[in-house]
Amino acid sequence: MILHIVDKEEWLIAKAKGIYVPSSLESDGFIHCSTKEQVVNVANFLFKGKDGLVLLCIDTNKVSSNIIFEDLYDTGKLFPHIYGSLNTDAVSNVVNFPPNSDGTFDLPKECK
């Protein structure tokens, strides 16, 4: 399983279409994802204090596009990237991802 942070409204639109094509696919060439060990650090770095987010729990065996684990930013950590759109039937669970009162995030119990 890999995880992706997305605005809930954006996900609902994608779910209705059956395919998720975020802006990062055009700008970066892939969909940024994380492992469960990485997602909290990513959320605290990029989304601190942002409300209205959900975590997509993605079954890598059902993703129709290529997934490559790579370190594009010389962090020493391999992050999963989906090179293509995400078929919504590969998402096994959608978990609300609200920030704590201080704006930071914790891994929801549904993802542990």
Side-chain angles (χ1 to χ4, degrees), residues 6-16 20 51-54:
V6 64
D7 182 86
K8 184 176 185 175
E9 294 303 316
E10 187 177 350
W11 169 245
L12 292 175
I13 292 167
K15 180 72 172 160
Y20 175 59
D51 287 312
L53 299 175
V54 293

Side-chain angles (χ1 to χ4, degrees), residues 15-16 29 34 56 63 104 111:
K15 180 72 172 160
S34 303
L56 304 183
V63 176
T104 62
C111 297

Side-chain angles (χ1 to χ4, degrees), residues 7-8 12 19-20 22 31 34 38 51 59 65 68 71 73 77 86 100 102:
D7 182 86
K8 184 176 185 175
L12 292 175
I19 194 154
Y20 175 59
I31 301 172
S34 303
Q38 297 166 329
D51 287 312
D59 182 341
S65 297
I68 300 173
D71 180 2
Y73 307 107
K77 297 177 184 174
L86 174 63
N100 297 312
D102 66 355

Side-chain angles (χ1 to χ4, degrees), residues 85-100:
S85 58
L86 174 63
N87 47 304
T88 57
D89 62 343
V91 176
S92 61
N93 197 11
V94 179
V95 179
N96 287 326
F97 197 40
N100 297 312

